[in-house]
């Protein structure tokens, strides 16, 4: 299954509808996400972009009354097939949340939480993994001497990078980011944006953002959502300079939302 | 009188009335000591606490409550061994696993268990559990440590499970989401994230449950058997402190040595439960200050 | 996406989950059976004793025959007395703590005091009632002394429930009233209290249930083994259901003979107390479902 080098897409949705109880939150979404690219999902609040993101690693399963129609194909396999275990899906599709959410444990134990679950018990392996992950998240130099300290003592920006490192330690194929900088100050935001640029060499990144400049700066492709529908999905440069759809242009230029 | 003055008067009256709880607590101390301290004209504190013989009606009487203290501790510990797993697991079930309808029913069941009068549970222990124990294990009496501990556990479970449930419920959703997003199963999320995060709340619950058990009177009065001696097995009878007080106060002549000794036993019991409660309060207070991740 | 080694690992992880969930469900089942078993047993043995006469007649023949009317009445008096003492005091304290007090040392002390009071063993309340109300204030063993003792016993319950109910009233209600120039006290009286009333009511009902079922606090302060007449004033002793159960089951000379009466009394007590609790539970769940804010 790793031999798809002709195929650049890694995950795609096919005619997906999504409901919270009687409320239809997404309508007929079909989207391809490309390998080792950054795809941004933008749109006004409540447009369904976060909902779509959480569909890709089945986090919406945790919400009572949620229902999915259609298919989400990850490397050709429908992750909503009854045979598929959501736990396995989440292991391979990592996620970073809007608000940094480290566990109230030490920095080291935050990073190694996931790997330990999947059976990595050797202390040296775990230490090596922690170092690699923290280096990837450009946090190593700041925390290498305080790995035993509670993650809660870190600053907000550091906590968010720790959460990224924690997700990377699972060696996921895809990294989902749900407005990862909206709770951070400008300096921390800039660090995370640099980090995303670095990470896309190895990982497929799908990011939800409120901040259009951010989408323009860091993404290769952008999808614009409005009231549960995918209005336009194009190369980022095109979306921000010459969009095909009038609604997109109105949103980009700040006429609504 | 201006409106402003009236407001101030109301506020101050309310303030004074809200001090009643502290006042009562103070009065409890004062009156326990007033009626209990005269004992120590006859007996030393050391002989009272560590004395091995409780013969308050003999002549000369001996007022050693060590067997009573041991009796209290044993039934408390044994009942906790039953009630803690039961209560905590029930709380986990209610807060994390049960479907909404079952959750409501189970919460009501636990609340009704809490509402059962202690004398009813004691009665149940006497007429059902005691004969059963006696027959099954071929004992001289079914009124013993095991019986009292089982019934006390039933009384402590609601305390433990409802406070634990609050603590589990208070664990921030972000922690759970983070765990699931890393590919953890529900079991792993519960045991590695949710329970550890709620641990101080659960500890508070356990301590308060134990305080409930050590202070409970009717159950130990009716089913612990009443032997004021150090037990040698869990099938022996004991006479925990509350049982001794409740059973003997009616017959102790007013302000006799026996009467004072029972009040003094009340002081010991009061101080023990007070310590339990202060520890629980301290833990839950510390817990409150930690809270969830903030920026 | 399920390789060989991964799936072995997953199997183990799910096995642990199954075992754990099994234990968790078992604990719920045990608790359900405990309550169900106790209630069934009491009902099965008590129901045949219950008759109109049992509920309305006084005991006869050294309590081996007759009814339990004086005990029912006594429990009623004690409970009404207790809630009369505890409700106003508890609500006022809760209003002060939630509406007036600024967070500080005194409030903290009051809260610790309430928590500690809630943890005082019931027999210690009994001792206190004996030392203070019966002896020091010279009330004697009486309805008054018993009701006061039970009143302070349930005070923390009432304070806790009332505080919870007051906190549940949205802050915007208060602000809306205050912004219209209504004084703080009037705001509390006209806006906050009415909205908190159902919650306070529920807490009070639970307090009543607790008071009705307690034995140890009234043993030395109010309860009598047997009274020939019904109480004439609040300074008289009374019989009470919980104490009646206790004495018949342990202290009498006719323990076996009075077994039916014991079962009947237990049943009446349980129906009374759990009935009261059930009313509170139903009111609360109804309130939650129909919350207007």
């Amino acid at each position: 299954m790793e031999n798809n080098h002709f195929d650049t897409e890694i995950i795609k949705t096919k005619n997906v509808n999504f409901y919270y109880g009687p409320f239809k939150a997404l309508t007929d979404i079909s989207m391809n996400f490309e390998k080792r690219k950054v795809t941004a999902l933008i749109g006004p609040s409540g447009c369904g972009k976060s909902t779509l993101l959480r569909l890709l690693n089945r986090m919406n399963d945790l919400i009572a009354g949620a229902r999915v129609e259609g298919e989400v194909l990850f490397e050709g396999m429908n992750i909503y097939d009854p045979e598929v275990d959501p736990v396995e899906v989440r292991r391979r599709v990592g996620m970073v949340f809007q608000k940094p959410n480290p566990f109230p444990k030490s920095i080291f134990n935050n990073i190694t939480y996931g790997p330990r679950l999947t059976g990595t018990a050797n202390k040296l392996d775990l230490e090596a993994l922690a170092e690699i992950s923290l280096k990837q998240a450009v946090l190593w130099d700041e925390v290498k001497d305080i790995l035993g300290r509670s993650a809660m003592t870190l600053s907000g920006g550091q906590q968010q990078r720790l959460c990224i490192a924690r997700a990377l330690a699972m060696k996921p194929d895809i990294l989902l980011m749900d407005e990862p900088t909206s709770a951070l100050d400008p300096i921390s935001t800039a660090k995370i944006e640099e980090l995303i640029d670095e990470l896309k060499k190895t990982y497929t990144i799908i990011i939800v953002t409120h901040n259009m400049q951010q989408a323009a700066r860091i993404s290769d492709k952008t999808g614009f959502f409005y009231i549960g529908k995918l209005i336009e999905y194009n190369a980022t440069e095109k979306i921000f300079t010459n969009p095909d759809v009038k609604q997109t242009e109105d949103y980009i230029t700040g006429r609504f939302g | 009188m201006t409106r402003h003055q009236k407001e101030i008067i109301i506020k101050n009256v309310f303030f004074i009335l809200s001090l009643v709880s502290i006042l009562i607590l103070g009065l409890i101390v004062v009156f326990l000591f007033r009626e209990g301290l005269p004992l120590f004209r006859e007996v030393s504190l050391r002989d009272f606490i560590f004395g091995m013989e409780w013969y308050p009606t003999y002549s000369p009487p001996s007022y050693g409550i060590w067997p009573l203290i041991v009796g209290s501790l044993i039934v408390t510990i044994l009942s906790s061994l039953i009630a803690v797993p039961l209560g905590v697991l029930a709380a986990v079930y209610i807060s994390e696993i049960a479907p909404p309808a079952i959750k409501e029913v189970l919460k009501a069941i636990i609340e009704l268990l809490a509402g059962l009068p202690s004398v009813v549970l004691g009665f149940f222990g006497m007429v059902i559990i005691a004969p059963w124990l006696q027959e099954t294990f071929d004992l001289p009496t079914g009124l013993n440590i095991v019986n009292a501990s089982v019934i006390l556990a039933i009384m402590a479970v609601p305390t433990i499970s409802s406070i634990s449930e609050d603590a589990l419920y208070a664990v921030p959703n972000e922690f759970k989401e983070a765990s699931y997003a890393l590919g953890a199963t529900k079991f792993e999320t519960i045991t590695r994230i949710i329970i550890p995060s709620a641990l101080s709340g659960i500890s508070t619950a356990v301590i308060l449950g134990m305080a409930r058990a050590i202070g409970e009177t009717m159950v130990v009065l009716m089913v612990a058997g009443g032997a004021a001696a150090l037990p040698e097995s869990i099938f022996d009878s004991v006479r925990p402190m509350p049982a001794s007080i409740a059973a003997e106060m009616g017959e102790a002549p007013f302000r006799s040595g026996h009467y004072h000794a029972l009040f003094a036993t009340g002081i010991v019991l009061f101080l023990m439960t007070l310590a339990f409660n202060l520890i629980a309060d301290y833990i839950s207070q510390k817990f409150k200050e930690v809270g969830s991740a903030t920026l | 996406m399920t390789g060989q080694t991964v799936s072995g690992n997953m199997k183990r992880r799910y096995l642990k989950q199954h075992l754990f969930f099994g234990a968790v469900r078992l604990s719920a089942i045990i608790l359900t059976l405990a309550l169900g078993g106790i209630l069934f047993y009491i009902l099965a043995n008590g129901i045949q004793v219950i008759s109109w006469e049992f509920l309305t007649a006084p005991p006869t023949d050294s309590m081996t025959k007759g009814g339990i009317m004086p005990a029912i009445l006594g429990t009623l008096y004690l409970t009404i007395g207790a809630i009369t003492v505890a409700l106003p005091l508890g609500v006022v304290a809760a209003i002060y703590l939630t509406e007036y007090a600024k967070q500080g040392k005194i409030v903290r002390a009051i809260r610790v005091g309430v928590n500690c009071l809630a943890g005082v063993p019931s027999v210690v309340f009994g001792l206190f009632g004996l030392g203070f109300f019966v002896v020091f204030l010279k009330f004697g063993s009486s309805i008054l002394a018993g009701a006061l003792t039970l009143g302070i016993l349930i005070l923390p319950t009432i304070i806790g429930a009332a505080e919870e109910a007051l906190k549940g009233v949205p802050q915007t209600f208060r602000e809306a009233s205050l912004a219209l120039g209504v004084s703080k006290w009037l705001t509390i009286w006209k806006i906050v209290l009415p909205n908190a009333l159902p919650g306070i009511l529920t807490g009070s009902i639970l307090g009543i249930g607790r008071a009705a079922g307690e034995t140890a606090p009234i043993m030395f302060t109010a309860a009598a083994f047997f009274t020939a007449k019904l109480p004439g004033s609040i300074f008289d002793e009374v019989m009470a259901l919980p104490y009646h159960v206790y004495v018949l089951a342990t202290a009498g000379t006719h323990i076996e003979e009075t077994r039916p009466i014991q079962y009947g009394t237990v049943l009446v007590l349980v129906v009374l107390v759990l009935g009261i609790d059930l009313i509170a539970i139903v009111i609360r769940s109804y309130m939650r479902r129909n919350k207007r804010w």
Side-chain angles (χ1 to χ4, degrees), chain B:
Chain B
M1 189 165 63
T2 68
R3 208 169 72 183
H4 184 66
Q5 282 170 321
K6 197 175 142 197
E7 287 283 319
I8 290 179
I9 289 171
I10 289 174
K11 183 180 169 172
N12 286 325
V13 168
F14 278 32
F15 171 63
I16 290 163
L17 288 175
S18 73
L19 292 177
V20 164
S21 298
I22 297 185
L23 177 77
I24 291 171
L25 206 58
L27 282 173
I28 289 176
V29 174
V30 168
F31 279 85
L32 284 182
F33 277 83
R34 182 180 133 110
E35 304 292 335
L37 283 187
L39 174 76
F40 299 107
R41 276 186 232 132
E42 293 179 47
V43 194
S44 76
L45 180 63
R46 200 194 141 92
D47 289 347
F48 175 63
I49 301 281
F50 296 107
M52 296 297 290
E53 286 173 341
W54 175 255
Y55 297 125
T57 53
Y58 281 29
S59 164
S62 52
Y63 301 116
I65 61 165
W66 187 244
L68 312 188
I69 294 177
V70 170
S72 275
L73 291 178
I74 281 183
V75 294
T76 302
I77 290 166
L78 201 59
S79 69
S80 308
L81 290 181
I82 304 167
V84 170
L86 214 50
V88 174
L89 287 178
V92 168
Y93 185 62
I94 290 173
S95 88
E96 305 298 328
I97 298 171
I102 294 184
K103 183 173 161 161
E104 284 308 307
V105 172
L106 196 59
K107 283 178 87 155
I109 285 174
I110 288 175
E111 200 155 353
L112 291 178
L113 267 182
L116 281 178
S118 50
V119 72
V120 170
L121 286 168
F123 180 73
F124 186 77
M126 276 181 81
V127 296
I128 291 295
I129 299 183
W132 181 80
L133 278 176
Q134 192 172 4
E135 247 170 67
T136 314
F137 297 97
D138 195 24
L139 303 168
T141 173
L143 301 175
N144 54 28
I145 295 175
V146 173
N147 194 343
S149 302
V150 168
I151 304 276
L152 285 178
I154 295 177
M155 301 200 68
V157 160
T159 308
I160 295 174
S161 91
S162 63
I163 299 172
S164 297
E165 189 205 322
D166 288 344
L168 292 167
Y169 186 76
V171 173
N173 204 34
E174 296 105 69
F175 293 174
K176 299 182 202 175
E177 286 202 322
S179 174
Y180 286 123
L182 287 166
T185 62
K186 195 160 196 174
F187 163 70
E188 288 155 354
T189 304
I190 290 170
T191 51
R192 297 183 188 219
I193 300 298
I194 299 176
I195 291 179
S197 304
L199 203 58
S200 49
I202 294 173
S203 318
T204 307
V206 168
I207 294 170
L208 290 178
M210 291 176 82
R212 178 93 209 266
I214 205 169
E216 171 49 38
T217 311
M218 297 317 289
V219 168
V220 291
L221 176 58
M222 294 169 84
V223 302
L230 290 180
E232 278 159 15
S233 98
I234 54 169
F235 292 111
D236 281 357
S237 293
V238 286
R239 192 181 191 83
M241 290 182 280
S244 199
I245 298 170
E248 296 163 34
M249 191 48 97
E251 286 117 50
F254 182 59
R255 295 213 170 139
S256 61
H258 189 188
Y259 172 95
H260 293 310
L262 292 175
F263 268 95
T265 310
I267 296 174
V268 174
L269 184 62
F270 173 74
L271 292 180
M272 282 172 90
T273 50
L274 191 68
F276 273 98
N277 281 286
L278 289 176
I279 293 169
D281 188 82
Y282 173 77
I283 293 176
S284 73
Q285 207 55 34
K286 238 183 128 175
F287 168 61
K288 227 181 258 165
E289 284 157 16
V290 178
S292 89
T294 45
L295 295 179

Side-chain angles (χ1 to χ4, degrees), chain A residues 85 87-88 117-118, chain B residues 185 187-188, chain C residues 2-19:
Chain A
D85 182 356
V87 170
E88 296 258 4
L117 295 179
T118 49
Chain B
T185 62
F187 163 70
E188 288 155 354
Chain C
T2 44
Q4 202 53 281
T5 55
V6 173
S7 109
N9 177 32
M10 276 322 289
K11 242 188 209 156
R12 231 180 8 258
R13 290 166 69 187
Y14 279 121
L15 181 66
K16 282 187 202 160
Q17 170 152 316
H18 280 305
L19 291 174

Side-chain angles (χ1 to χ4, degrees), chain C residues 74-260:
Chain C
T75 287
L76 224 54
Y77 290 150
L78 288 170
T79 310
I80 291 170
I83 198 72
T84 311
V85 175
L87 187 59
L89 266 179
V91 173
V92 164
I95 290 177
Y96 181 77
L97 286 172
T98 52
E99 307 293 327
Y100 286 103
K102 293 181 188 64
Q103 294 308 314
K105 287 221 166 89
I106 294 181
V107 173
R108 177 92 186 92
I110 294 175
R111 272 184 217 286
V112 174
V114 173
N115 285 347
C116 287
L117 197 62
V120 171
S122 53
V123 73
V124 173
F125 276 109
L127 285 180
F128 168 68
L130 172 64
F132 187 58
F133 299 123
V134 175
V135 174
F136 184 75
L137 296 181
K138 300 194 173 65
F139 293 160
S141 179
S142 61
I143 295 177
L144 182 62
L148 286 169
T149 309
L150 287 175
I152 59 173
L153 174 97
I154 62 172
L155 184 59
T157 312
I158 308 277
I159 294 178
E163 255 198 284
E164 205 62 31
L166 291 167
K167 276 187 202 152
V169 178
Q171 197 56 29
T172 49
F173 286 23
R174 297 182 180 85
E175 284 162 3
S177 170
L178 292 170
L180 292 170
V182 178
S183 73
K184 182 147 189 167
W185 166 242
L186 267 185
T187 300
I188 293 170
W189 182 245
K190 295 274 184 196
I191 305 292
V192 181
L193 269 183
N195 281 299
L197 202 59
I200 295 175
L201 196 71
T202 320
S204 317
I205 298 173
L206 289 174
I208 291 174
R210 171 99 198 270
E214 281 288 350
T215 319
I218 56 170
M219 282 173 111
F220 334 126
T221 57
F225 183 58
F226 175 72
T227 53
K229 284 185 303 179
L230 291 177
S233 86
I234 56 169
F235 292 102
D236 286 348
E237 281 191 302
V238 280
M239 295 175 68
L241 288 171
Y243 189 66
H244 198 60
V245 172
Y246 166 67
V247 287
L248 288 187
T250 60
T253 40
H254 314 283
I255 292 178
E256 286 306 320
E257 217 176 315
T258 60
R259 209 53 114 190

